[in-house]
Amino acid sequence: MKIGFSLLCLWGFLFTSNMTFAEVSSDFQNISTKDQQNSREPDSHLDQRINRLEESMKTLEDKMEETVQIFESRFEEMMKALETKLGHNQEQSAQKQEVRVAAENVQDQMSSGVKTLAINPEETEDISSLDEREVGAAEGRVDKKIQSLEESIKDLQNRNTIMDMTEEVRRVQEYVCKNGHVFSTGAEDKKCPTCGLKQKARDQFKLFKFARRESVSERIEAAIDEAFEKRVLIGASGTGILQQILSSEKEEKGFASGSFDLLFITKPLLYTTFFIDLEAIGGNGPDELLGSFSGLNDDSGSLQDDDGVDRVSVREVWLQSYLFDQKLRLVGGKIDLTNYFDHNAIANDETTQFITGAFVNNPTLEVPDNGPGLVVFFDTMKGPNFGFGLQSADNSGTNITDDIYAIAQIGYRSYGFFGREGNWRIWGRINGEKDDNKGFGVSMDQNLTTRLTAFARYGANEEEEENAAIASAWSLGLRYRSPFFSRVNDEIALAFGRLDIVDGGEESVAELYYKFQFNKHTSITPNIQTLIDPAGVDSEGTSVLAGIRTQIEF
């Protein structure tokens, strides 16, 4: 049906082109008739008639350009229809031949239409009463114009020539659900339009056939993409936090802190990334004053020298590679283990989510400061995933084999809760820096609705005062996205947690924040924090803090 309709469109264009040629031919006849009636007019009148002929030629050229453009557009649509419809090479050859024949017929008709523009010599013989030199000059001017017009039409016909077909294998991204429904584009809600299950992106290699001109443009675009991937991308992130103690047994004072990260990313090889993070931090937050173990500002921790001069540190430097269809990930260098273990979708980043440290990572995880390490992570892409990490507590690199921190994690990505994504993780670790103190924990995040997500954590340590300060810790919370119709990128979140101290004390903390996301680069987040029975001081009081965080990244 599509092929027949396309051929019908081609003959329609041919009919339109013939009408155009007929109109121009009529102009020639009218001019010839007027020449016979006014054979003895002055030479200036002959010039006027020739000018009218030139205008007619210009009209033909404009209409020819429009017709060719329409033909090119319809021809491309017809070729796409052929690529989709034809399933066998023999059928492709036969039907593409029909298209070529139709196109050649169109060109022949276009050429024959041009030929009708030629002036019949018999129509010019009646101008015999004029001087032979005047007639010869007029015919020469007309012939030159017709020759120029024919050359223009040939150029248009060359532009309309069917291009050679070529084949290339390309990598394309598809979106597939568990039931095997495949789509070329992902749904906005990341759910299969057919069955409603979660969609996952995957890469496939497919054979494409297209015109040579398109092949050249695609190769240019691919070369640009390749050059772009080899570039060093630079990003920056700045966070500023103001906190004010509203109610406490301690001094009610304000605190300011800020951090700045400069990021460098490049891809030296396929599926390989080299990453550098340079960081500067100023301000220590309210924990020391209030005696909190929860970490009321996890983005604080001044890097200033004793004389108050800011210092820049190399926070992370690592090389990451993917193997076995991107299922196996290897990371080596100066790393942050919290990027890979005890991860959580809604409570894992102090610059964009909760700022309380007890909600960023489990306090019993007790990872050392960033240092030399190695991470191996394997994701089956079917639910289960496994990770193992090693890190040295010696950041200087002089004795990296002593005091090793080791951690292992098993995770599972599930869609069992009404088809909504959930991630469940269990980890165990051993801390060589603290006499091989052992601990374990669990972490989960589960989508309850399209906009509502819940999280929970629990962790426990070996209860030895000399090797651990926190015996166990748990936390849970909710995040709600797009709370208002006019603020689709905003989110509001609430969390509560408790720490059991090794010496018998307990500390509770809660946080509520609302994030105004103005664009993909800027957000402002006011929050309220409540600290109950801080474990670091002999007090059973409650402290309330108000704060605001500004985050800019690009």
Side-chain angles (χ1 to χ4, degrees), residues 302-311:
S302 179
L303 297 176
Q304 290 181 342
D305 293 330
D306 295 336
D307 56 0
V309 177
D310 290 328
R311 182 165 55 91

Side-chain angles (χ1 to χ4, degrees), residues 75-358:
F75 181 76
E76 291 178 358
E77 294 178 2
M78 182 177 60
M79 292 302 297
K80 291 180 180 179
L82 284 173
E83 294 292 341
T84 304
K85 186 70 177 178
L86 302 181
H88 301 286
N89 293 334
Q90 184 176 1
E91 294 178 356
Q92 286 183 340
S93 301
Q95 299 199 26
K96 287 180 182 178
Q97 182 63 29
E98 293 178 7
V99 175
R100 291 190 175 90
V101 172
E104 291 173 358
N105 291 338
V106 171
Q107 293 180 357
D108 293 339
Q109 293 294 333
M110 293 168 65
S111 300
S112 63
V114 173
K115 293 179 180 179
T116 59
L117 297 177
I119 296 179
N120 191 338
E122 295 179 0
E123 295 178 355
T124 59
E125 290 178 356
D126 295 334
I127 318 178
S128 57
S129 58
L130 293 177
D131 185 80
E132 291 183 357
R133 290 191 305 174
E134 294 177 352
V135 173
E139 290 181 349
R141 294 171 62 181
V142 171
D143 290 340
K144 289 181 179 180
K145 278 297 179 182
I146 292 177
Q147 182 179 2
S148 175
L149 178 59
E150 289 179 340
E151 291 177 355
S152 298
I153 293 176
K154 288 180 180 179
D155 179 65
L156 294 175
Q157 290 176 335
N158 290 334
R159 288 175 51 190
N160 198 38
T161 302
I162 296 177
M163 294 174 288
D164 294 336
M165 303 302 292
T166 185
E167 295 181 349
E168 280 188 4
V169 177
R170 297 182 185 174
R171 186 178 67 184
V172 297
Q173 191 173 59
E174 298 178 338
Y175 297 84
V176 61
C177 68
K178 281 191 172 182
N179 289 335
H181 300 133
V182 181
F183 297 89
S184 58
T185 58
E188 293 183 0
D189 58 358
K190 298 183 179 180
K191 294 182 181 179
C192 176
T194 303
C195 62
L197 294 180
K198 188 72 175 181
Q199 285 184 323
K200 292 197 302 184
R202 70 178 184 185
D203 291 334
Q204 294 288 335
F205 291 91
K206 291 188 175 182
L207 180 66
F208 286 87
K209 296 181 180 180
F210 41 80
R212 185 179 299 277
R213 184 181 299 174
E214 180 185 354
S215 174
V216 172
S217 66
E218 288 292 336
R219 287 171 183 156
I220 293 174
E221 183 178 350
I224 293 175
D225 291 342
E226 182 179 358
F228 180 80
E229 290 182 355
K230 292 182 178 179
R231 290 171 42 188
V232 176
L233 303 181
I234 300 177
S237 173
T239 305
I241 299 176
L242 297 175
Q243 292 175 290
Q244 175 66 47
I245 300 176
L246 302 179
S247 175
S248 176
E249 294 180 353
K250 300 293 183 178
E251 181 182 359
E252 297 179 1
K253 60 184 299 186
F255 300 85
S257 65
S259 65
F260 176 78
D261 290 80
L262 188 61
L263 312 175
F264 299 88
I265 305 172
T266 186
K267 291 188 174 182
L269 298 171
L270 184 64
Y271 303 130
T272 301
T273 302
F274 181 66
F275 176 82
I276 301 176
D277 181 2
L278 305 180
E279 183 180 52
I281 300 177
N284 290 312
D287 291 307
E288 185 175 353
L289 176 65
L290 298 178
S292 169
F293 278 32
S294 299
L296 296 174
N297 186 347
D298 204 49
D299 194 47
S300 63
S302 179
L303 297 176
Q304 290 181 342
D305 293 330
D306 295 336
D307 56 0
V309 177
D310 290 328
R311 182 165 55 91
V312 177
S313 70
V314 180
R315 185 175 184 274
E316 293 182 71
V317 180
W318 45 256
L319 185 70
Q320 173 181 273
S321 294
Y322 283 93
L323 303 173
F324 304 114
D325 295 331
Q326 304 183 58
K327 294 180 180 180
L328 179 64
R329 177 169 55 162
L330 303 176
V331 184
K334 185 177 182 180
I335 62 175
D336 179 1
L337 286 176
T338 61
N339 289 334
Y340 314 98
F341 301 94
D342 190 44
H343 191 266
N344 200 283
I346 67 173
N348 208 190
D349 188 350
E350 65 275 12
T351 63
T352 60
Q353 298 167 343
F354 297 101
I355 66 171
T356 304

Side-chain angles (χ1 to χ4, degrees), residues 1-51:
M1 290 292 293
K2 291 184 179 179
I3 297 172
F5 177 75
S6 301
L7 294 176
L8 182 60
C9 291
L10 288 176
W11 292 118
F13 297 146
L14 174 62
F15 178 78
T16 304
S17 302
N18 288 337
M19 290 292 292
T20 304
F21 297 143
E23 292 172 4
V24 177
S25 300
S26 177
D27 289 341
F28 275 109
Q29 293 175 0
N30 292 337
I31 293 174
S32 299
T33 303
K34 290 182 180 180
D35 286 342
Q36 294 176 3
Q37 295 176 354
N38 303 282
S39 59
R40 297 187 180 277
E41 291 181 358
D43 181 66
S44 60
H45 291 176
L46 181 60
D47 291 340
Q48 293 178 2
R49 292 197 298 273
I50 293 175
N51 289 336

Side-chain angles (χ1 to χ4, degrees), residues 267-468:
K267 291 188 174 182
L269 298 171
L270 184 64
Y271 303 130
T272 301
T273 302
F274 181 66
F275 176 82
I276 301 176
D277 181 2
L278 305 180
E279 183 180 52
I281 300 177
N284 290 312
D287 291 307
E288 185 175 353
L289 176 65
L290 298 178
S292 169
F293 278 32
S294 299
L296 296 174
N297 186 347
D298 204 49
D299 194 47
S300 63
S302 179
L303 297 176
Q304 290 181 342
D305 293 330
D306 295 336
D307 56 0
V309 177
D310 290 328
R311 182 165 55 91
V312 177
S313 70
V314 180
R315 185 175 184 274
E316 293 182 71
V317 180
W318 45 256
L319 185 70
Q320 173 181 273
S321 294
Y322 283 93
L323 303 173
F324 304 114
D325 295 331
Q326 304 183 58
K327 294 180 180 180
L328 179 64
R329 177 169 55 162
L330 303 176
V331 184
K334 185 177 182 180
I335 62 175
D336 179 1
L337 286 176
T338 61
N339 289 334
Y340 314 98
F341 301 94
D342 190 44
H343 191 266
N344 200 283
I346 67 173
N348 208 190
D349 188 350
E350 65 275 12
T351 63
T352 60
Q353 298 167 343
F354 297 101
I355 66 171
T356 304
F359 304 140
V360 177
N361 288 108
N362 198 307
T364 62
L365 193 65
E366 295 186 349
V367 295
D369 294 335
N370 294 1
L374 174 69
V375 171
V376 179
F377 215 89
F378 184 79
D379 191 345
T380 63
M381 303 297 181
K382 297 180 180 180
N385 52 80
F386 311 91
F388 178 74
L390 295 173
Q391 183 181 327
S392 173
D394 181 10
N395 186 31
S396 66
T398 58
N399 196 4
I400 63 173
T401 58
D402 290 346
D403 301 332
I404 294 294
Y405 180 97
I407 184 171
Q409 177 176 288
I410 299 175
Y412 185 76
R413 185 181 301 107
S414 170
Y415 297 89
F417 186 82
F418 299 104
R420 303 188 184 278
E421 181 178 357
N423 295 280
W424 304 74
R425 313 164 190 87
I426 180 170
W427 53 263
R429 56 104 180 128
I430 181 170
N431 192 344
E433 187 180 16
K434 296 184 177 181
D435 295 333
D436 293 338
N437 179 269
K438 301 176 181 62
F440 80 96
V442 294
S443 174
M444 61 79 64
D445 54 82
Q446 175 66 57
N447 291 331
L448 304 179
T449 68
T450 304
R451 295 184 289 179
L452 183 63
T453 305
F455 87 92
R457 278 193 178 100
Y458 175 80
N461 258 329
E462 289 184 332
E463 298 184 18
E464 298 179 5
E465 292 189 17
E466 64 274 14
N467 294 325

